[in-house]
């Protein structure tokens, strides 16, 4: 899989230097490349306890992203998923430690424990006071003698870091770190494995499955579970975390493992906030990428019961952009719609035949959703099917509220519904189409003439014409042939839709931005949707 790197050998050092260039002068590194990769604060006060953490790279922004006032004093970086050497850790300790001493915050992996542990012994031989804590927050394998350290480590960084910044001594900072470690619990879920630079991607998670409890180095999880929705995923994770969540008010951390989009993370945050599975989650850190696993398309949840002091320390502001705030979980703030935009409710009326006809039309788009998406992927962003299907679902959902017996008001009601529920340019154009058809029907025109008036208005507003490779290439000939019946309209629509595959230079719509070689041989998805609609109606 292609990645934006130069070589796996220089990946980490180049990435560190890239971070330093944009750190606004807050950070420096030790001169020890390539074996010693240590990032330190530029404003070190050696009268205060130093916090040193780190481990293998690939978890960015951890750990370099959390170096600064109120969190880490230094981050020691290894190669991707590889522990840093003893010399690298020792260099970090010696660079930042003073009379107040140093706390090492280590995730529970064998390489990290050994290298940080031996470096601590060597630092003590230099006369430096060193404490070390081991974070083991992963509850994926509850029977494991030594649980892994994952995103909950960041709670330790923040609380211990805020105490150290306030001038607390090494024993106090260490005790606070140990209390957090004893109470925090974390669990992750992913839809895909990560891509390790220079290695083939492991494809072990099948479509429709999610892996629960996988490690941040790409280790296999506890089990594969069925995946359906964000709500289902959050429910599974919280249910597994519940026995470890403790009592009292809690802070949750919603961590992006690297490959989930901000949109997905926001949905997960909403589901977690309203879940109620774990009582008293009152505050949230995130959602954000904090402790990642390269490009893993997943998330993790960490839960920490807090006392008043710990909450205050978590909410203490820091300058690092990668630490999101610890914010109270509040209900969404909803303001009234401005005057004039409140939806107008049509007066319903019954017409069983018209209701059945609209239902058949909607079902056509629901059945064609996947096919139209695949077709649109050749000339757009692959959502034509979903857009039309979403509108169809909405229309079916309000069918009993429509004025089915009044064609003028029906067209206008459909236009209003589509303008509210159908996104993108398609929603606007179809709203214009039905609104204009309603105007034409109000002046006494029949259904065919009203629909042709709607098409004329769409062409006027949208600027597309026959031959421009849009839905008009199927809709215009279909409406011309419609007086001769649905079979004639279907044949005309199919001919027009198939002709769009030969039009390699689109003159309107998103396809006009796509290269000719991508368009050749593929029907325009809007035209194809029209053709399928008339074909299904001709079979009824």
């Amino acid at each position: 899989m292609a990645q934006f790197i130069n070589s796996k050998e220089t990946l980490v050092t180049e990435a560190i230097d890239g971070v330093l260039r944009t750190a606004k002068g807050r950070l420096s590194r030790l001169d020890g490349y390539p074996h010693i990769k240590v990032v330190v604060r530029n404003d070190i006060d050696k009268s205060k306890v130093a916090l040193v953490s780190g481990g293998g790279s690939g978890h960015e922004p951890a750990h370099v992203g959390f170096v600064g006032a109120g969190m880490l004093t230094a981050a020691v970086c290894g190669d991707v998923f590889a522990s840093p050497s003893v010399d690298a850790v020792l260099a970090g300790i010696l660079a930042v430690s003073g009379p107040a001493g140093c706390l090492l915050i280590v995730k529970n992996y064998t390489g990290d424990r050994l290298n940080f542990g031996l470096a601590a012994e060597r630092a003590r031989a230099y006369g430096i006071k060193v404490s070390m804590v081991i974070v083991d927050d992963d509850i994926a394998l509850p029977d494991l003698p030594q649980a892994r350290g994952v995103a909950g480590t960041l709670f330790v960084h923040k609380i211990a870091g805020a105490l150290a910044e306030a001038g607390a001594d090494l024993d106090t900072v260490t005790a606070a770190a140990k209390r957090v470690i004893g109470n925090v619990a974390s669990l992750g879920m992913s839809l895909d494995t990560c891509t390790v630079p220079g290695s083939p991607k492991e494809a072990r998670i099948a479509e429709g499955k999610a892996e629960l409890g996988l490690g941040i180095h790409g280790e296999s999880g506890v089990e594969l579970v069925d995946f359906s929705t964000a709500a289902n995923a959050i429910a599974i994770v919280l249910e597994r975390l519940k026995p470890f969540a403790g009592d009292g008010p809690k802070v949750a951390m919603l961590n992006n493992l690297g490959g989930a989009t901000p949109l997905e993370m926001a949905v997960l945050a909403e589901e977690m906030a309203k879940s109620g599975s774990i009582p008293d989650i009152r505050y949230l850190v995130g959602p954000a990428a904090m402790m990642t696993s390269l490009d893993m398309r997943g998330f993790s949840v960490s839960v920490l019961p807090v006392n008043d002091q710990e909450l205050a320390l978590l909410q203490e502001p820091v300058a690092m952009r990668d630490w999101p705030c610890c914010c109270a979980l509040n209900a969404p703030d909803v303001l009234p719609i401005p005057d004039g935009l409140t939806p107008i409710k049509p007066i319903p009326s019954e017409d069983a035949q018209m209701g059945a006809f609209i239902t058949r039309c909607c079902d056509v788009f629901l059945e064609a959703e996947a096919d139209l998406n695949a077709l649109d992927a050749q000339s757009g962003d692959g959502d034509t099917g979903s857009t039309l299907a979403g509108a169809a679902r909405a229309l079916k959902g309000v069918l009993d509220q429509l004025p089915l017996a009044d064609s003028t008001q029906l067209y206008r009601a459909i236009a209003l519904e589509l303008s509210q529920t159908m996104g993108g340019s398609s929603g606007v154009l179809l709203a214009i189409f039905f609104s204009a058809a309603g105007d034409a029907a109000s002046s006494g025109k029949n259904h065919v003439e009203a629909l042709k008036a709607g098409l004329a208005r769409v062409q006027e507003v949208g600027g597309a014409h026959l031959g421009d490779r849009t839905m008009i290439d199927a809709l215009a000939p279909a409406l011309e042939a419609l007086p001769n019946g649905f079979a004639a309209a279907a044949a005309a629509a199919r001919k027009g839709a198939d002709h769009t595959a030969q039009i390699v230079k689109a003159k309107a719509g998103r396809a006009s931005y796509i290269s000719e070689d991508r368009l050749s041989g593929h029907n325009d998805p809007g035209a194809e949707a029209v053709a399928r609609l008339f074909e299904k109606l001709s079979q009824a």
Side-chain angles (χ1 to χ4, degrees):
M1 179 177 177
Q3 295 173 299
F4 290 110
I5 67 173
N6 295 316
S7 73
K8 65 178 182 179
E9 291 78 17
T10 62
L11 171 58
V12 175
T13 55
E14 289 173 346
I16 289 173
D17 284 346
V19 170
L20 296 182
R21 289 182 188 276
T22 59
K24 300 179 181 179
R26 294 187 303 102
L27 304 177
S28 297
R29 66 172 174 86
L30 301 185
D31 185 11
Y33 278 177
H35 305 299
I36 293 176
K37 299 180 280 289
V38 179
V39 174
V40 300
R41 289 171 55 174
N42 273 341
D43 59 347
I44 299 170
D45 181 353
K46 292 191 177 182
S47 69
K48 296 178 179 179
V49 173
L51 265 62
V52 178
S53 190
S57 297
H59 307 304
E60 288 70 24
H63 300 83
V64 170
F66 303 114
V67 176
M71 292 188 75
L72 299 180
T73 319
V76 187
C77 307
D79 291 328
V80 173
F81 295 168
S83 176
S85 67
V86 174
D87 282 353
V89 178
L90 180 60
I93 297 171
L94 295 178
V96 300
S97 301
C102 174
L103 173 64
L104 301 183
I105 302 171
V106 183
K107 298 188 301 299
N108 194 20
Y109 293 94
T110 302
D112 288 348
R113 289 183 65 135
L114 292 176
N115 285 292
F116 277 82
L118 182 52
E121 293 301 325
R122 290 176 59 183
R124 292 184 188 111
Y126 280 90
I128 298 173
K129 292 189 296 184
V130 181
S131 291
M132 186 169 85
V133 294
I134 308 295
V135 187
D136 55 357
D137 56 309
D138 188 5
I139 59 94
L141 300 164
D143 298 326
L144 198 68
Q146 295 185 358
R148 299 171 294 200
V150 287
T153 308
L154 303 179
F155 279 133
V156 185
H157 291 172
K158 185 65 178 71
I159 289 174
L163 276 173
E165 193 68 29
D169 63 25
L170 182 57
D171 289 342
T172 301
V173 175
T174 302
K178 288 181 176 178
R179 185 187 183 283
V180 174
I181 292 168
N183 290 322
V184 65
S186 301
L187 185 64
M189 175 185 282
S190 185
L191 299 175
D192 198 4
T193 56
C194 60
T195 308
V196 180
S199 300
K201 184 178 176 66
E202 183 182 3
R204 65 171 184 262
I205 305 176
E207 187 76 22
K209 295 288 185 178
E211 192 165 75
L212 183 68
L214 67 178
I216 56 172
H217 301 115
E219 308 99 318
S220 297
V222 181
E223 61 181 300
L224 288 174
V225 296
D226 291 332
F227 173 75
S228 56
T229 62
N232 171 254
I234 282 289
I236 293 172
V237 170
L238 293 183
E239 196 61 33
R240 298 293 179 95
L241 281 169
K242 189 174 181 177
F244 305 88
D247 300 319
K250 302 172 186 67
V251 177
M253 178 183 294
L254 182 54
N255 172 56
N256 186 342
L257 285 169
T261 65
L263 201 61
E264 291 170 289
M265 295 304 297
V267 172
L268 291 168
E270 166 65 5
E271 293 302 330
M272 191 173 72
K274 67 185 185 184
S275 164
S277 177
I278 296 179
D280 289 328
I281 294 181
R282 301 181 189 177
Y283 302 89
L284 180 66
V285 177
M290 293 172 276
M291 179 75 74
T292 66
S293 181
L294 294 169
D295 60 347
M296 186 178 285
R297 190 157 173 252
F299 70 95
S300 68
V301 177
S302 302
V303 178
L304 174 68
V306 291
N307 56 35
D308 290 343
Q309 182 196 31
E310 289 167 331
L311 179 60
L313 294 171
L314 283 171
Q315 292 182 323
E316 191 72 29
V318 293
M320 291 75 79
R321 64 190 177 201
D322 292 310
W323 174 257
C325 70
C326 175
C327 301
L329 280 173
N330 299 315
D333 189 21
V334 180
L335 301 176
I337 294 175
D339 291 342
L341 291 179
T342 303
I344 300 171
K345 298 289 186 181
I347 300 174
S349 58
E350 294 184 9
D351 185 322
Q353 187 175 2
M354 179 59 73
F357 178 78
I358 293 174
T359 298
R360 286 203 308 274
C361 292
C362 291
D363 288 342
V364 171
F365 296 129
L366 292 172
E367 292 167 7
E369 180 176 2
D371 289 346
L372 294 176
N373 280 343
L375 190 58
D376 188 35
Q378 303 297 325
S379 59
D381 54 7
D383 68 348
T384 291
S386 297
T387 301
L388 290 170
R393 292 186 189 95
L395 207 54
K396 288 182 72 173
V398 298
L399 196 61
D400 59 346
Q401 303 171 32
L402 295 178
L404 299 174
D406 184 334
S407 59
T408 295
Q409 297 307 319
L410 176 61
Y411 285 134
R412 289 170 174 168
I414 292 174
L416 182 62
E417 182 65 29
L418 295 182
S419 72
Q420 294 169 354
T421 60
M422 191 175 182
S425 57
S426 300
V428 176
L429 290 173
L430 287 177
I432 291 171
F433 175 80
F434 283 105
S435 180
D439 291 344
S442 69
S443 64
K445 293 186 177 181
N446 62 31
H447 281 297
V448 175
E449 292 303 316
L451 293 175
K452 290 172 73 172
L455 176 59
R457 186 71 57 81
V458 166
Q459 290 180 277
E460 177 187 343
V461 174
H465 300 88
L466 274 172
D468 286 352
R469 204 181 194 280
T470 69
M471 68 175 182
I472 289 171
D473 290 310
L475 183 56
L479 292 181
E480 287 295 331
L482 189 55
N484 298 319
F486 280 121
R494 172 51 59 196
K495 182 178 179 181
D498 289 346
H499 179 65
T500 62
Q502 303 170 34
I503 304 174
V504 295
K505 183 58 179 176
K507 298 177 183 177
R510 279 184 314 213
S512 61
Y513 306 112
I514 306 300
S515 62
E516 296 181 5
D517 59 319
R518 286 283 304 275
L519 297 178
S520 179
H522 302 288
N523 285 12
D524 175 77
E528 178 65 23
V530 171
R532 292 195 183 198
L533 173 63
F534 279 101
E535 286 171 344
K536 288 290 186 179
L537 293 177
S538 71
Q539 298 167 8

